[in-house]
């Protein structure tokens, strides 16, 4: 009898699977369920889902409170997860007796076909393994329900993770099937609403090599992969080849693969298990919670742990990781329970309308409407959790978030899409490696001055300070020596003090947050500014004063009258997807640009004026300041170094070592050159010549001073002599011009005189001219002959002769020789 009660018929096109729990059940009316379980293909989910459905039928048919007058019987075929094969099997189910009250397909591609066709037969379709978002279209699939949540249920979880880790750009790679295409479309809508961009979207049919290369080429970091398990192995083999894995990348995959899917030998790929393990390490999966994590007894009076134990026994010791559909088995179990509870709920309403479940046929819409209404309001605790359907007939469930760590999946959180709650393990932190960003992370890091550079330059600065004190002491001690007195010793003292202060500014210039607290840093900034500013003012100001005095005293005003303007990021060592943004401690203020403009402006003008004065006085020799040429050389040096250093240090402000080295070395070199040029010659002269006497003791040695005065007077006389010679040359040129004019006029007058005499001869008969003795016209002895003594010209020529009257008074004889004597004196 037991054997009669439990008859199993496998892989038959016409035979049915009848589950008889006891002999009294033989009198029950049978309701037939037509099912398609994929035992092979892209998703062989029937391997575990079929035993789970049988387990549910066993319990339902045994219960007296659920469909007491009916017995559910399962008729199933192997669809191989192939729509073409499923089409033939669907028509076998529909046109072969007995009539099926409900259809239960598995794969999304098969469910799409069955759900779209079933409306023509008024059949309710209840799927246990379909995740395609396209199946949520109520107008296209009006009678479709599923205990497997839609694949779009992963998308709210993914968006929550993107927002939690502040990612703004993602990429997708998908297999070109409807389930994955519609999932990506839904994801694109959701991320756009969240302000996130899908920057790269790739797809492939069978070979993902080109798609993976495009992800690498476009620098994709956060990648959502949507493909079946067999294609996942192909994808990650290419990922390994392109090095598109590691801490720079995060892969989001579907969580319903087998736990060891990447270790399964696949002849379609040429990567080793070790390479695949390396490539998939760290990826994140979002998986619908298909097994209730809590120990509760639901409608079946089984806990999830008890269900798994019974399922394992049904599988006969098969490895769950190698059994297709093992994770979805609770969904198949709850699908049978959802159907049984819905049918049980329709018994009363149908009886009121004069119908019974066994009256169902493919033309009766009333019974179909009651079954639809009962499923749409389903709500019970199942093995997979709380079972409830949304308006599109899709299961609403929790999402499990896992990460592959060390070759095994670790749970890191849950997301409840009904309430929008995201809960975490490990105190709300990333478990495992740090999640990389969708773009390079910038880590701010303080960069301090190199200690070797600071110490090296500080040694030179210290030696320069020592040299400055030596020069200052020497100058003060020998201030009574005439040679030192002639170099303005007080100004020299100011120069030495200014050089010492400028060198002392090198030390605070190299102090940063490594040596002092940040609160003390503004004090250091003020200290270095005052030291350097005062040092420059004293040193350069004293030299400028000297050169100004020399220029003012020895440059004539007449001659002046005659002469008539954010740190580059650094890549760290190692495989870290970060860039280091250096943070430099520098002195600044709210009006920094204004103050720099003012300071650089007036000090720059002083430098330029100092260069001009040094050039103007380079040939001057004076006893009052006998080292002004050395001062000019020092001014050249300081001006050139300052004009180079100021802009260069501003350009190198982001490089603390180079900026400090350049500024400090400029200070050191300018101070060294200034001290050497101004003080070393004085020391050498006093040491070699022994001129150590004071001014009171040096009264007998005035010869040198006298010689200096004579030399100065001689230069002055030579300059005056050159001026007089120039005047003489100009006068001689004028005399020569006058002589030429006089000769021409005398010749002209001679010709005119001859003409006058001729005219007199013709007119002698009518006009008698009185006779004059030429001697009466001669000038007194010792006086030159005047042109005015020439006989008068006739009236007819008076006008023409008057043209020459003013010049007639100038002649070679009336040019006084005393003037020439004075010129050549």
């Amino acid at each position: 009898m037991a054997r009669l009660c439990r008859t199993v018929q496998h892989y038959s096109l016409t035979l049915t699977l009848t589950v008889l729990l006891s002999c009294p059940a033989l009198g029950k009316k049978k309701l037939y369920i037509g099912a398609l379980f994929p035992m092979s293909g892209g998703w062989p989910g029937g391997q575990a889902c079929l035993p789970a459905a049988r387990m549910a039928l066993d319990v339902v048919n045994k219960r007296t409170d659920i469909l007491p007058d009916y017995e559910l019987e399962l008729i199933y075929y192997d669809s191989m997860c192939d729509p073409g094969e499923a089409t033939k099997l669907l028509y076998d189910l529909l046109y072969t007796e007995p009539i099926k009250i409900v259809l239960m397909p598995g794969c999304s591609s098969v469910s799409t076909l069955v759900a779209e066709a079933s409306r023509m037969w008024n059949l309710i379709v209840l799927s246990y393994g379909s995740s395609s978002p396209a199946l949520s279209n109520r107008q296209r699939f009006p009678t479709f329900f599923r205990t497997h949540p839609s694949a779009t249920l992963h998308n709210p979880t993914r968006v929550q993770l993107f927002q939690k880790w502040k990612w703004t750009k993602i990429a997708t790679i998908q297999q070109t099937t409807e389930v994955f295409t519609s999932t990506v479309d839904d994801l694109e809508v959701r991320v756009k609403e969240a302000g996130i961009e899908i920057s790269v979207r790739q797809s492939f049919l069978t070979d993902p090599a080109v798609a993976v290369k495009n992800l690498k080429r476009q620098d994709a970091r956060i990648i959502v992969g949507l493909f079946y398990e067999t294609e996942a192995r192909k994808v990650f083999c290419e990922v390994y080849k392109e090095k598109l894995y590691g801490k720079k990348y995060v892969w989001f995959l579907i969580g319903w693969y087998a736990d060891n899917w990447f270790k399964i030998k696949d002849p379609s790929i040429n990567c080793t298990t070790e390479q695949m393990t390396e490539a998939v390490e760290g990826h994140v999966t979002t998986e619908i919670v298909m097994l209730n994590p809590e120990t509760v007894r639901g409608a079946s009076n089984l806990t999830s742990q008890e269900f798994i134990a019974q399922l394992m026994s049904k599988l006969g010791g098969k490895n769950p990781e190698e059994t297709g559909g093992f994770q979805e088995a609770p969904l198949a179990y709850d699908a049978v329970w959802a159907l049984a509870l819905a049918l049980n709920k329709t018994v009363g309403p149908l009886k009121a309308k004069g119908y019974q479940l066994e009256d169902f046929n493919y033309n009766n819409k009333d019974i179909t409407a009651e079954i639809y209404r009962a499923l749409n309001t389903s709500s019970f605790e199942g093995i997979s959790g709380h079972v409830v359907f949304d308006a599109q007939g899709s299961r609403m469930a929790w999402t499990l978030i896992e990460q592959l760590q060390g070759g095994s999946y670790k749970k890191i959180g849950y997301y409840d899409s009904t309430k929008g709650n995201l809960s975490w393990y490990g105190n709300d932190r990333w478990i495992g490696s740090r999640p990389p960003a969708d773009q390079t992370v910038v880590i701010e890091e303080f960069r301090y001055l190199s200690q070797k550079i600071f110490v090296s330059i500080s040694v030179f600065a210290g030696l320069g300070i020592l040299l400055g004190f030596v020069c200052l002491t020497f100058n003060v001690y020998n201030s009574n020596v005439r040679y030192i007195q002639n170099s303005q010793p007080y100004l020299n003292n100011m120069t030495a003090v200014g050089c010492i202060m400028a060198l002392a500014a090198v030390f605070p210039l190299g102090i940063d947050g490594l040596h002092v607290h940040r609160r003390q840093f503004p004090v250091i900034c003020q200290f270095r500014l005052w030291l350097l500013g005062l040092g420059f003012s004293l040193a350069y100001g004293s030299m400028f004063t000297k050169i100004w005095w020399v220029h003012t005293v020895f440059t004539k005003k007449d001659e002046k009258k005659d002469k008539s303007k954010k740190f580059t990021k650094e890549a760290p060592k190692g495989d870290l997807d970060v860039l280091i943004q250096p943070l430099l401690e520098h002195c600044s203020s709210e009006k920094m640009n204004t103050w720099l403009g003012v300071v650089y402006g007036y000090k720059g003008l002083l430098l330029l004026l100092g260069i001009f004065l040094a050039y103007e006085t380079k040939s001057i020799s004076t006893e009052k300041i006998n080292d002004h040429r050395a001062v000019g050389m020092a001014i050249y040096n300081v001006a050139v170094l300052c004009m180079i250093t100021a802009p260069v240090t501003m350009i190198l402000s982001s490089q603390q070592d180079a900026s400090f080295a350049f500024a400090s070395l400029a200070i050191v070199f300018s101070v060294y050159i200034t001290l050497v040029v101004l003080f070393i010659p004085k020391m050498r002269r006093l040491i070699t010549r022994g001129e150590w006497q004071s001014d009171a003791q040096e009264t007998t040695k005035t010869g040198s001073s006298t010689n200096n005065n004579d030399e100065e007077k001689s230069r002055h006389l030579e300059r005056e002599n050159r001026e007089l010679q120039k005047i003489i040359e100009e006068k001689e040129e004028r005399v020569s011009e006058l002589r030429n004019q006089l000769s021409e006029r005398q010749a002209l007058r001679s010709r005119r005189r001859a003409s006058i005499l001729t005219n007199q001869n013709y007119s002698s008969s009518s006009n008698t001219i009185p006779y004059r003795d030429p001697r009466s016209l001669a000038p007194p002895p010792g006086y030159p002959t005047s042109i005015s003594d020439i006989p008068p010209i006739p009236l007819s020529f008076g006008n023409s002769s008057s043209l020459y009257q003013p010049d007639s008074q100038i002649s070679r004889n009336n040019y006084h020789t005393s003037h020439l004597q004075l010129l050549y004196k």
Side-chain angles (χ1 to χ4, degrees):
M1 179 63 76
R3 291 184 179 179
L4 288 175
C5 295
R6 302 196 179 188
T7 303
V8 180
Q9 299 173 344
H10 292 283
Y11 302 97
S12 174
L13 296 176
T14 59
L15 297 179
T16 61
L17 171 63
T18 305
V19 181
L20 302 177
L21 301 177
S22 61
C23 290
L26 292 175
K28 291 183 177 181
K29 301 170 186 177
K30 292 184 179 181
L31 300 175
Y32 296 95
I33 302 171
L36 297 174
F37 286 96
M39 309 305 293
S40 59
W43 177 65
Q47 296 177 6
C49 290
L50 177 57
R54 289 173 177 171
M55 290 171 56
L57 285 172
D58 287 342
V59 178
V60 168
N61 288 332
K62 187 186 296 186
R63 293 278 290 265
T64 58
D65 57 335
I66 301 174
L67 296 174
D69 299 328
Y70 298 94
E71 178 183 346
L72 298 179
E73 191 169 318
L74 189 65
I75 300 174
Y76 73 92
Y77 300 110
D78 179 12
S79 67
M80 295 184 293
C81 204
D82 182 6
E85 181 68 18
T87 302
K88 183 181 68 172
L89 297 178
L90 174 62
Y91 281 90
D92 288 338
L93 286 171
L94 294 176
Y95 291 103
T96 303
E97 293 289 342
I99 294 176
K100 288 75 180 178
I101 194 169
V102 172
L103 297 179
M104 291 183 62
C107 294
S108 293
S109 56
V110 174
S111 296
T112 301
L113 170 69
V114 173
E116 195 164 21
S118 63
R119 63 190 299 178
M120 306 302 297
W121 282 269
N122 296 309
L123 279 169
I124 297 295
V125 179
L126 179 59
S127 176
Y128 54 87
S130 302
S131 60
S132 173
L135 292 168
S136 297
N137 188 341
R138 264 286 175 250
Q139 295 182 354
R140 184 181 175 188
F141 311 106
T143 60
F144 179 77
F145 292 87
R146 51 182 165 182
T147 55
H148 193 300
S150 170
T152 57
L153 193 63
H154 297 265
N155 291 336
T157 307
R158 292 170 181 143
V159 172
Q160 285 288 327
L161 295 177
F162 300 157
Q163 291 178 326
K164 177 179 177 61
W165 290 317
K166 295 179 175 60
W167 295 334
T168 57
K169 290 183 180 180
I170 65 170
T172 62
I173 178 173
Q174 65 167 91
Q175 186 179 354
T176 51
T177 60
E178 184 180 20
V179 57
F180 301 127
T181 301
S182 55
T183 301
V184 173
D185 292 340
D186 178 78
L187 177 63
E188 190 168 8
V189 173
R190 293 178 184 271
V191 297
K192 186 176 181 180
E193 293 175 352
I196 302 171
E197 174 190 0
I198 297 182
S199 58
V200 184
R201 183 169 176 174
Q202 295 293 319
S203 61
F204 65 93
L205 182 60
T206 55
D207 186 6
V210 175
V212 173
K213 288 181 180 178
N214 289 337
L215 290 176
K216 178 73 173 181
R217 187 179 300 112
Q218 299 187 46
D219 194 28
R221 300 297 182 87
I222 312 303
I223 308 168
V224 178
L226 300 171
F227 27 71
Y228 286 115
E229 180 178 321
T230 53
E231 280 68 26
R233 284 189 283 269
K234 297 179 183 178
V235 169
F236 276 88
C237 185
E238 297 298 327
V239 166
Y240 177 82
K241 295 175 183 178
E242 297 295 331
K243 303 300 180 186
L244 201 65
Y245 63 92
K247 294 183 178 180
K248 292 182 180 179
Y249 307 95
V250 169
W251 281 87
F252 282 84
L253 301 182
I254 302 171
W256 38 257
Y257 302 157
D259 287 348
N260 65 338
W261 63 271
F262 53 91
K263 297 180 181 178
I264 298 175
K265 292 183 179 180
D266 192 338
S268 63
I269 63 174
N270 56 358
C271 293
T272 64
T273 303
E274 292 75 16
Q275 292 173 342
M276 292 291 292
T277 304
E278 182 180 352
V280 301
E281 178 65 22
H283 77 264
V284 179
T285 64
T286 53
E287 178 182 356
I288 304 302
V289 176
M290 300 179 184
L291 189 66
N292 196 334
E294 299 178 359
T295 306
V296 295
R297 296 185 182 273
S300 63
N301 201 29
L302 285 178
T303 65
S304 56
Q305 293 76 18
E306 292 172 348
F307 166 78
I308 294 297
Q310 292 183 19
L311 180 61
M312 292 293 292
S313 65
K314 292 288 185 180
L315 294 177
K318 291 183 181 179
N319 186 355
E321 295 181 357
E322 298 178 359
T323 303
F326 184 82
Q327 293 180 341
E328 290 80 8
L331 302 179
Y333 186 88
D334 286 343
V336 174
W337 272 97
L339 177 59
L341 293 174
L343 292 175
N344 187 66
K345 190 184 295 185
T346 62
V347 173
L350 287 175
K351 187 176 180 180
K353 293 181 181 181
Y355 293 109
Q356 294 181 348
L357 287 174
E358 63 268 23
D359 296 334
F360 175 80
N361 59 60
Y362 299 141
N363 296 319
N364 195 323
K365 295 184 178 180
D366 292 333
I367 298 178
T368 301
E370 288 297 332
I371 299 174
Y372 178 90
R373 191 177 297 110
L375 276 173
N376 202 33
T377 58
S378 295
S379 179
F380 65 95
E381 290 296 329
I383 297 300
S384 60
H386 190 71
V387 179
V388 64
F389 301 105
D390 60 16
Q392 287 75 38
S394 297
R395 168 78 178 278
M396 299 178 67
W398 282 39
T399 306
L400 172 64
I401 307 167
E402 292 183 318
Q403 185 190 24
L404 188 68
Q405 301 176 14
S408 61
Y409 287 98
K410 306 293 184 183
K411 296 179 181 179
I412 61 175
Y414 285 98
Y415 178 68
D416 183 1
S417 59
T418 60
K419 299 180 180 178
N421 293 333
L422 186 63
S423 56
W424 288 92
Y425 291 105
N427 193 22
D428 193 19
R429 63 181 176 85
W430 180 268
I431 300 176
S433 61
R434 177 192 62 83
D438 54 341
Q439 54 190 356
T440 301
V441 176
V442 178
I443 298 178
E444 295 181 343
E445 180 177 299
F446 274 103
R447 291 299 177 85
Y448 298 112
L449 181 66
S450 172
Q451 298 304 300
K452 293 182 180 179
I453 295 177
F454 178 64
V455 172
S456 301
I457 297 179
S458 297
V459 170
F460 284 101
L463 293 175
I465 291 175
L466 180 62
L467 176 61
F469 275 111
V470 171
C471 295
L472 179 62
T473 304
F474 164 81
N475 196 72
V476 171
Y477 182 77
N478 297 285
S479 59
N480 292 328
V481 176
R482 179 175 294 278
Y483 180 73
I484 301 299
Q485 285 183 342
N486 290 340
S487 66
Q488 300 296 322
Y490 296 108
L491 294 178
N492 291 339
N493 293 341
M494 293 175 62
T495 302
V497 172
C499 290
I500 293 172
M501 294 179 69
L503 285 174
V506 171
F507 298 100
L509 196 64
I511 294 177
D512 51 27
L514 186 64
H515 308 90
V516 297
H517 194 274
R518 187 177 299 181
R519 291 194 298 265
Q520 301 171 346
F521 197 69
V523 178
I524 301 298
C525 293
Q526 295 282 345
F527 190 56
R528 71 170 66 158
L529 179 64
W530 282 102
L531 274 179
L532 187 58
L534 289 176
F536 178 85
S537 298
L538 288 175
Y540 185 78
S542 58
M543 294 187 294
F544 184 85
T545 302
K546 281 188 181 182
I547 210 73
W548 176 269
W549 187 85
V550 172
H551 184 272
T552 302
V553 172
F554 293 96
T555 303
K556 289 189 175 181
K557 295 183 179 178
D558 293 341
E559 293 180 0
K560 293 181 183 177
K561 291 181 181 179
D562 291 341
K563 303 175 182 179
S564 347
K565 179 185 191 277
K566 279 116 168 338
F567 300 130
T568 59
K569 301 179 180 65
E570 304 172 5
K573 298 179 181 179
D575 186 23
L576 295 177
D577 188 30
V578 299
L579 288 178
I580 296 176
Q581 175 66 63
L583 296 180
L584 300 180
E585 296 175 321
H586 62 280
C587 301
S588 181
S589 65
E590 294 180 357
K591 303 293 184 180
M592 189 68 177
N593 294 333
T594 302
W595 282 109
L596 283 179
V598 172
V599 173
Y600 285 171
Y602 85 84
K603 289 190 180 293
L605 291 175
L606 288 177
L607 290 173
L608 293 176
L609 185 57
I611 293 175
F612 171 75
L613 297 178
Y615 176 80
E616 286 287 305
T617 59
K618 66 181 184 300
S619 61
I620 295 176
S621 177
T622 176
E623 179 186 3
K624 296 297 182 181
I625 300 179
N626 55 18
D627 62 346
H628 73 281
R629 291 190 178 90
V631 172
M633 291 178 59
I635 287 177
Y636 290 148
N637 158 66
V638 173
V640 171
L641 285 176
C642 288
M643 291 179 180
I644 294 175
T645 304
V648 171
T649 51
M650 294 177 67
I651 295 172
L652 298 178
S653 59
S654 61
Q655 303 177 26
Q656 72 282 1
D657 290 345
S659 178
F660 170 77
F662 203 92
S664 301
L665 289 177
I667 295 172
V668 170
F669 285 147
S670 61
V671 168
Y672 268 83
I673 294 174
T674 300
L675 294 176
V676 169
V677 168
L678 291 184
F679 294 96
I680 297 301
K682 297 180 177 61
M683 296 180 184
R684 181 174 175 273
R685 176 177 177 124
L686 295 187
I687 293 173
T688 55
R689 297 188 181 186
E691 298 178 357
W692 302 97
Q693 294 85 355
S694 63
D695 189 24
Q697 297 171 338
E698 213 175 50
T699 54
T700 60
K701 293 187 177 182
T702 58
S704 177
S705 177
T706 303
N707 292 336
N708 289 337
N709 293 333
D710 292 342
E711 183 181 357
E712 186 68 26
K713 291 179 181 179
S714 176
R715 289 196 186 95
H716 183 69
L717 291 174
E718 288 177 358
R719 188 182 302 109
E720 289 184 350
N721 190 38
R722 285 194 297 270
E723 294 176 354
L724 291 173
Q725 287 178 354
K726 185 176 181 180
I727 294 173
I728 290 172
E729 290 175 358
E730 293 176 354
K731 296 299 182 181
E732 286 181 347
E733 290 178 0
R734 179 62 177 166
V735 169
S736 178
E737 292 177 359
L738 292 175
R739 286 176 179 174
N740 292 335
Q741 293 178 4
L742 183 61
S743 299
E744 293 175 356
R745 291 169 181 168
Q746 287 178 347
L748 181 61
R749 290 189 185 99
S750 297
R751 290 194 297 271
R752 290 174 179 171
R753 187 180 303 161
S755 176
I756 292 171
L757 292 176
T758 304
N759 291 334
Q760 289 177 353
N761 291 332
Y762 281 108
S763 58
S764 56
S765 60
S766 58
N767 296 315
T768 304
I769 300 174
Y771 174 74
R772 287 187 180 183
D773 188 355
R775 289 177 295 184
S776 63
L777 301 176
Y783 287 86
T785 303
S786 175
I787 296 177
S788 60
D789 296 333
I790 298 175
I793 299 174
L795 295 176
S796 61
F797 292 93
N799 294 334
S800 62
S801 63
S802 64
L803 295 174
Y804 300 95
Q805 186 174 359
D807 294 335
S808 64
Q809 298 177 358
I810 302 175
S811 67
R812 177 71 180 87
N813 294 330
N814 67 12
Y815 190 86
H816 208 286
T817 57
S818 63
H819 292 173
L820 295 178
Q821 294 176 358
L822 179 61
L823 291 175
Y824 286 91
K825 180 179 179 180

